[in-house]
Amino acid sequence: MTTLAHPGETLSADGLLPSAAPLALIDADGRLTPEAAGELTLPAPGVLRELHRRMVLGRRFDTQATALTRQGRLAVYPSSRGQDACQVGAVLPLRDSDWLFPTYRDSVAVVTRGVPAEDVLALLRGDWHCGYDPYRYRVAPQCTPLATNTLHAVGLAHAARLQAKDQVALVMLGDGATSEGDTHEALNFAGVWKAPVVFLVQNNGYAISVPLAKQTAAPTLAAKGIGYGIPSLLIDGNDAAAVYSAVRVAVDRASAGGGPTLIEAVTYRIEAHTNADDATRYRSSDEVSTWLERDPIARLTAYLSARGLLDDAAAGRLAAEAERLADGVRERMNAESTVDPAELFEHVYAHPTAALERQRAALLAELQEQEPAS
Amino acid sequence: MTTLAHPGETLSADGLLPSAAPLALIDADGRLTPEAAGELTLPAPGVLRELHRRMVLGRRFDTQATALTRQGRLAVYPSSRGQDACQVGAVLPLRDSDWLFPTYRDSVAVVTRGVPAEDVLALLRGDWHCGYDPYRYRVAPQCTPLATNTLHAVGLAHAARLQAKDQVALVMLGDGATSEGDTHEALNFAGVWKAPVVFLVQNNGYAISVPLAKQTAAPTLAAKGIGYGIPSLLIDGNDAAAVYSAVRVAVDRASAGGGPTLIEAVTYRIEAHTNADDATRYRSSDEVSTWLERDPIARLTAYLSARGLLDDAAAGRLAAEAERLADGVRERMNAESTVDPAELFEHVYAHPTAALERQRAALLAELQEQEPAS
Amino acid sequence: MTTVMSASASAEETAAAVPAPVTMAAALNAALADSLAADDRVVVFGEDVGTLGGVFRITDGLASRFGERRVFDTPLAEAGIVGTAIGMAMNGLVPVVEMQFDAFAYPAFEQVTSHLAKLRNRTRGRLALPVVIRVPFGGGIGGVEHHSDSSEAYYTHTPGLRVVTPGTPADAYRLLRQAVACPDPVLFFEPKRRYWSRETAVLSVDGPPVDRAVVRRPGKDVTLIAYGGMVATALEAAAAALEEGWDVEVIDLRSLSPFDDQTLTASVRRTGRAVVVHEAAGFAGYGAEVAARLTEQCFHYLEAPILRVTGFDIPYPPPHLEKFHLPSTDRILDAIARLQWEGDNA
Amino acid sequence: MTTVMSASASAEETAAAVPAPVTMAAALNAALADSLAADDRVVVFGEDVGTLGGVFRITDGLASRFGERRVFDTPLAEAGIVGTAIGMAMNGLVPVVEMQFDAFAYPAFEQVTSHLAKLRNRTRGRLALPVVIRVPFGGGIGGVEHHSDSSEAYYTHTPGLRVVTPGTPADAYRLLRQAVACPDPVLFFEPKRRYWSRETAVLSVDGPPVDRAVVRRPGKDVTLIAYGGMVATALEAAAAALEEGWDVEVIDLRSLSPFDDQTLTASVRRTGRAVVVHEAAGFAGYGAEVAARLTEQCFHYLEAPILRVTGFDIPYPPPHLEKFHLPSTDRILDAIARLQWEGDNA
Ligand SMILES: Cc1ncc(C[n+]2csc(CCOP(=O)(O)OP(=O)(O)O)c2C)c(N)n1
Ligand SMILES: Cc1ncc(C[n+]2csc(CCOP(=O)(O)OP(=O)(O)O)c2C)c(N)n1
Ligand SMILES: [Mg+2]
Ligand SMILES: [Mg+2]
C-alpha cells in the first residue's frame, strides 16, 4: 500500500533527536573535550573571557543576594549558584534586538543582560513586582507561574516574524516546568509557526524537592523536541562554552528562519530551592559535593589560566570588580525602601476607574487619620 | 568526562520511536501486507469476523444517527464514519475489567462496548448529559472538553495499580486534542507512574477545519511518545486487524506491568465534523474520494470473502441484523423524550442543599401556575 | 450576514451606510473587518477562525480578505492562544482571539488571571496588553453540555480585566471596535443566542463609550438590569409589565467591569426598586455584585430588596431542560411582582 | 507542630488527647494522618507533599508513615493532579490533593469546573467524586507575586463544588476530616497566614458539621461575618469595638458554599446590621453574595446597608504594600461606625 500520511506528517525523524550524551566543549577539569561536540564550536578567546568575567560577577551577585535574605533585606531569593554557565551562556549570544524570558531563578541572567542589580531585586525585596522596564532591556518580567512564559516567548517571536523584525526570543525554564501543559503548547505552537524562539531548559535535577525521576520517564528532556518537529540539543550545562555555543547555534537558526530549538542543559543548583527551603530533606551532601566538583567557573578559570588567557592580575581585577558590585548591591538594599500606598491603584488599568479613585481616596483618608495618632 | 545525567535520565532512546510508516496487516485491497508489521500479529479468523460484524453494525448505527439529525431527532451528531476500524478495533481487545474513555466522536466505540444505542444517544438527543451508567459498562462519559479525559484515564489506571487490580484504561483522542496541555500532562504522568493506560490517537487529519499541518510539526503524532519514555506504535487506522492487534499488544503490556503505550492510528472522517459543519469549506471532494477507497469495512469484507470466511448468506444475515439495530434506534428516538424538570436539582450534590430544595419548589410552583393557563 | 459584513466594505463605507437590518453576527464580523482595516497591528486568531470563518461564522471572509498573516488558525490549545496573544501584544500587535465556546476558555484561566490581567500592574504600567478575548457565552441554543456556560463572574472578579458584553447588533459593532481600540485587556462576551437577532441600524463606533451602561427603555416604577442575551428578554418583560401596570426601566449594562455606578444609581434612586437578570447561576454570580453595590448606594431609596432572576445553582442543563433553567419574561414579571408594591401585604 | 501531629498518633489517640496548644498546620497534619489511618481509600498527593512534607509542612511525616503508595509526589502539573485525582476517585480512591499556592491552582481550572464539579450531575448521580483539593490561600505572609491570591469566589460560583475554609486550628482538623469523608468534591481553603496560630484544643471530628456557620462571639449590635484568615481579625475587631460601645457578633462562615442561611439570617435579623469581611478583591467577590442574599432575606430588619470590608480591586500587592491592602481591625471598626447608628446624621 502507499504510505499513509496526512499532509504535515513527514514520517521521518531524521535529525530531530539529541545526541546520546550531553555535549561539552570544555570538561570539568578545564580541558578541551576529546569527543566531537556536534554542532558546537568553541567560542573565541575574547568570548570565553567575557563568559568567565560575567560568571564571576554573577556568582558574586548571587551570593550577596543570598546573604541579604539572612539579614531580612530580601523577602526571598532563589539562587542560581551552580547554574552560572547557563545564566551567562544563555544571555551573551543574544543580540540587542532579541528578548529574554527569564524565571524567578534567573536573576543572574537578567543582571547579565544589563538590568541594574537593584532593579532586579525589587521583586524579591518586596517593593514592587517587576522592578525594571521590560522594553528597555528586552527582558520580560521574571516569571513565577511555571512554564507560562514559554507561551509569551513564542507569541513575541511569532509577532516578530509577522512584522518582519529580526528578533529571537529565548525562554528559560526548569526541568519541573517541562511537565506543565503550557510548555507543551508553547513547543507545539513554535513548531507549527516555525517561530524564532529558543527554549533553554536548565535541568538542575530537582523541582524543589522532586527529583527528575519523578518528573519524567523520558530518556532526556531534549528528546521531547521530536514530538514537535523541533531540533534539540543536549548539552553540559556547566560548560559555559557549550551553553554559549548551543544558544548561538539556536539563535542563528531562528534568525535565519529555521525556527525553534530546544536545548536541555544538564546542571545542578548548589543552594536550596530558595533560602526558605531545607534541601537536606531531599538530597544528600554527597550529591552536592559531586556537583561542586563540576563548578562552571572553576573549569573555565582552569582553561583560561592554562592558556594564558587569565593571569593573576586579571583575576585580581575581576575579584575587585565583583566586590564593588556586591558593595553596591548591599548598600542599595540596606537603604530603606520607599513605597507609596497610593501607587496601589495605578497600573491596574490604563486609567484608574472611578471605583479605584474612590478606593484610593479612602485609603489616603485612612492614612491621614492614623498619622496624628502615631 | 563521565556521562552527565540526573537519576531518571537514561539517555538512550532505544525502542521508543514508532515505525517509519504506519503498520498494517491487511491492505486497502483486502490483501495481507507483504511488509513486516512489527509487533503486530494477525488476529484469529473468529476475531476478524467479529471485527467485521461490529464494524457493519457500528456503521449502520452511525448512518442512522446522522439521519436522525436531519429529522431534528438529535441535537447534534459527530459521525465516526471512516474511522470504523478504530472504533471497533479499540474496544474488542478490552477485557471486562478494563475501562474505555471515549470522546464525543466515539459513539460507535461505546455501542461496541455494549452500551444500548439509545442510552448513548441520550446526550446528543438532549435528554441528559450521560445516558448510561459508567460503572455498568466501565465506560466513562463521552468527553467533550478536549483531552481532559486523558488525565482521567491515567488516574483510573494508576488507582488500579495502587489497589493491585488488573485493569487497563484505554483513552481515545483526536489529532487536535494532542495539542492541549492535558494530553501532555497525561502522557507524562502515565510515563512516570508506569500506569496501565493505552492512548489511542485517531488521527483523522482534521480538528474541525484545521488540518494536521497546522496542528503540529511533528513527523508523526506517535513520535511524541519518546518525550515521555512511552513506547509508541504508528498504525493504519483503517485496518481493523492492525488496530485490534496494536491495542492488544498495548493492553497486554499494561496488564503485565509494562506501563503505557501511545498508538497513533492514521484514519479519516468521511462526514463533516458534525451535522452542523460544512466540510466543503476546508477540504476537497477529491481528498474524500481517496479515503473512501480506503474504507475499513470494504477491505475486511474483501479479505474475509477471499478466504471463505464470509459468504453471501452470512453477509445477508449481518445486513438484516444491522437493519434491525437501525429500526430499534429509529423507533426509540422517534418516541417523545420524557424529561423531568424536578431532576434539574438532583445530582448536583450527594444530597440537595436547602437552597436547591427552595429552587426546586419555586420551579414546581411556577409550572403548576402555568398549567391551567395552557 | 449580507450587506454589512461584505468583506470589501471599508470602515468608512460601513459607517456611512444607510440603516439596514443586520444580525449581531454580521455586526461582529463587520467590527472585526473594520478593525483589521483600520489598524495594521490587529491580528485575529484562534481555532477554526481562518479557513472556516469560525464555528459561528463570526470571522467569515476575514482570512481571505486580510491574508493568513492577519487572520489565522492555531493549534487546538486555549492557554496557547491566550499565552501567545500576550507575547504578541508585548511585541506591538493587537490580538483579537476567539475561544470557541465559553467553557473552552477555562484551559486559559491561568494565562488570563495571572498574566493578562496583571502584567500592566506588575510592570508599573510599562507593559500594556491590548488583547481582546472573544467568548461566545450563554445558552438558549440547544447546545449539549459544556456549550452553554456563562462564566462572566469569574472574569469580573479579576482586577485588571475589562468585561464587556453587547445586547444588540449595533452595540456589538460599537463595543467590539471600542474593545479593540482599548489599551486594557477585554473579555468580550458574545451572547450566542442573539447572534442571529436582527436590528435595523447604521453600524458606527460612535455612541456611548465602552464603560457606560445605557437605558434601553426609560421607566419610572422599577429598574430592570440586564446584559448580553438577557437584554432582549428584559425588554420583552418590560413590554409585558406595562399590561400589568408597571412602567419598567431597562438598563443594558454593557460593561460588567468596570461597573457604571452613576447610570445605575441614578435609575434605582429614581425607581426605588430593581431586579437584576442573568443566565449564570445566581450564587456568587455577577448579579450579587449589582445587588450588593446598588443596595449600599441606594439603601434609603429602596422600597424592597433588589431581587435577582438568574439561572439555578446547577450545572447548565441539557437541551430539553434548558427552558426551565433560563430566566424567562414570566420569571422576571414574578420578581417584579414581589417588589412589595403598595397595597401588598408581603 | 509537636504533640498532635506526631505521625504515630492514631485517630483514636488524637481524639482522646487532653487539650494542648496546637497550630493550624499541626491540626491539618493530624487530620490528614487520621484520615489516612481511618480509611484505606484515602491517598494524598501533589507537588512536594511526599519527601519534603509540603512547602508548608502540612504533609510532614505522612509519606514515611503511610508509604509511597498512599502519599506521593507528582510531576509538576496542576491540571494533571486534579485530572488524575478525578480518575482515581472514579476507581474507588479518596484523593486529597494539594495545590502549592492559590494562584497555582488556576491551571487546573478546567478540570475543576468542567469535570470535578459536574461529573455527578452529568452522570445522574452515578459517578461520585469524593475529592478534596487543599488550597493554601490569602496573604499576610509577605509573599511575592502570585503567592497571596484569594480565589474562593471563583469556586463558590461553580455549582457542584463545596467550598470550605477553617478559621481556627480545632476547626481545621474537624473540617478537613469532614471534607475527606464528604461524598462531594470539596475545595478546602487553608488561610496560610494562620498556619502558625495556636489554640489550646482537643482535636475532634465531632462538632458543627461541615456545612454550618458558627457564632464565634455572640453580640447584639452588629453581625460581623468572616471566614478563613479573617476570623481572627474579626474577633480582634469585635474586642476593640467593645471599647467603643458596640457589642459585635462574629460569625465564622466555615462553609462558603453551600451557604448557611439559617444561622446568618437569624443573627442579622436580631442585630439589624452587618459587615462582611474578606481579603479578596471586593468587586464580584464572595462578600457580594453574602450581602445580596442577607439583604433579600432580612430587608425589613436592616437599619443600614450591609457593608463589605475587602481587599481593594487590584492585583495582590507586593510585600511592602500588603498591609495597606488587607482588611484591618481599624477598617472593620470604620465600617461598623458607618452603619447609621442612632444619633448619626449620615
Ligand atoms: C504553576 C505553578 N505551580 C507551582 C509553582 C510552585 N513552584 C515554584 S518553583 C517550583 C519548582 C520548579 O522546578 P523547576 O521548573 O525544575 O525549576 P527550578 O526551581 O529547579 O529552577 C514550584 C513547584 C509555581 N511557581 N507555578
Ligand atoms: C477544550 C476544548 N476546546 C475546544 C473545543 C471545541 N471543539 C470540539 S471538537 C474540536 C476539534 C477536535 O479535533 P480532534 O481532536 O482532531 O478530534 P476529531 O473531532 O477530529 O475527532 C474542537 C475544537 C472543545 N470541545 N474543547
Ligand atoms: Mg529544576
Ligand atoms: Mg481530528
Side-chain angles (χ1 to χ4, degrees), chain A residues 104-105 144-146 174-177 180 204 206-208 273, chain C residues 110, chain D residues 47-48 76 78 100 104 107:
Chain A
Y104 54 91
R105 168 94 47 229
T144 293
L146 291 164
D175 45 302
E180 290 280 6
N204 63 10
Y206 290 88
I208 308 187
H273 174 68
Chain C
E110 181 187 35
Chain D
E47 294 158 11
D48 302 291
L76 211 168
E78 293 76 12
Q100 204 157 78
F104 305 146

Side-chain angles (χ1 to χ4, degrees), chain D residues 5-343:
Chain D
M5 59 170 287
S6 138
S8 63
S10 77
E12 293 70 31
E13 283 175 283
T14 305
V18 291
V22 56
T23 63
M24 188 182 284
L28 292 165
N29 181 275
L32 291 173
D34 293 350
S35 297
L36 283 157
D39 186 347
D40 268 359
R41 299 171 310 155
V42 175
V43 287
V44 170
F45 59 97
E47 294 158 11
D48 302 291
V49 302
T51 312
L52 185 66
V55 292
F56 290 109
R57 303 291 186 267
I58 306 301
T59 57
D60 198 24
L62 301 180
S64 60
R65 174 167 168 207
F66 294 97
E68 284 242 358
R69 295 177 88 85
R70 305 284 309 281
V71 180
F72 48 93
D73 291 325
T74 63
L76 211 168
E78 293 76 12
I81 292 167
V82 175
T84 55
I86 289 169
M88 291 193 208
M90 284 176 70
N91 205 353
L93 297 182
V94 176
V96 182
V97 304
E98 176 174 305
M99 301 282 105
Q100 204 157 78
F101 285 83
D102 191 297
F104 305 146
Y106 300 151
F109 202 70
E110 181 186 34
Q111 287 289 351
V112 171
T113 49
S114 291
H115 290 300
L116 188 66
K118 296 196 175 90
L119 266 166
R120 173 189 288 279
N121 182 263
R122 289 164 51 203
T123 59
R124 278 192 150 124
R126 284 158 182 147
L127 208 160
L129 294 178
V131 173
V132 178
I133 304 186
R134 296 180 36 245
V135 187
F137 87 124
I141 59 158
V144 296
E145 53 172 6
H146 309 292
H147 287 78
S148 299
D149 279 23
S150 289
S151 61
E152 65 276 13
Y154 300 140
Y155 303 100
T156 57
H157 182 52
T158 308
L161 301 177
R162 287 179 182 272
V163 182
V164 171
T165 176
T168 69
D171 232 18
Y173 179 88
R174 180 180 300 118
L175 287 174
L176 184 49
R177 294 228 38 199
Q178 292 181 356
V180 175
C182 175
D184 299 316
V186 180
L187 270 283
F188 192 86
F189 282 91
E190 301 173 359
K192 56 177 102 78
R193 69 194 314 203
R194 305 296 176 200
Y195 271 151
W196 312 110
S197 304
R198 264 168 217 284
E199 178 183 28
T200 297
V202 171
L203 299 185
S204 160
V205 76
D206 301 330
V210 72
D211 53 1
R212 298 305 294 266
V214 299
V215 176
R216 290 260 169 241
R217 183 195 183 287
K220 60 182 188 7
D221 294 335
V222 48
T223 305
L224 187 54
I225 305 162
Y227 56 87
M230 285 293 110
V231 172
T233 310
L235 287 167
E236 278 167 35
L242 210 54
E243 289 171 31
E244 314 214 5
W246 292 305
D247 183 15
V248 177
E249 175 146 312
V250 176
I251 298 194
D252 176 355
L253 283 178
R254 304 165 86 246
S255 174
L256 306 190
S257 177
F259 183 85
D260 178 1
D261 291 290
Q262 228 181 322
T263 305
L264 271 294
T265 303
S267 173
V268 174
R269 289 189 176 176
R270 201 161 17 77
T271 61
R273 291 180 170 87
V275 173
V276 201
V277 190
H278 59 61
E279 287 187 27
F283 194 79
Y286 183 73
E289 176 62 35
V290 177
R293 182 172 202 92
L294 292 175
T295 303
E296 268 181 56
Q297 295 172 358
C298 312
F299 188 67
H300 291 291
Y301 300 83
L302 286 179
E303 307 287 343
I306 295 176
L307 295 183
R308 294 178 274 169
V309 178
T310 69
F312 297 122
D313 294 324
I314 61 174
Y316 197 89
H320 286 155
L321 286 163
E322 69 178 342
K323 65 170 176 285
F324 301 109
H325 175 67
L326 290 169
S328 59
T329 54
D330 273 3
R331 218 169 271 169
I332 294 170
L333 291 175
D334 268 8
I336 292 175
R338 281 186 285 119
L339 288 174
Q340 309 181 2
W341 300 92
E342 262 132 73

Side-chain angles (χ1 to χ4, degrees), chain B residues 83 104-105 174-177 202-208 210 269 273:
Chain B
Q83 306 180 204
Y104 54 90
R105 170 94 45 228
D175 45 303
Q202 290 174 82
N203 175 1
N204 62 10
Y206 289 88
I208 308 186
V210 180
R269 107 173 117 63
H273 174 68

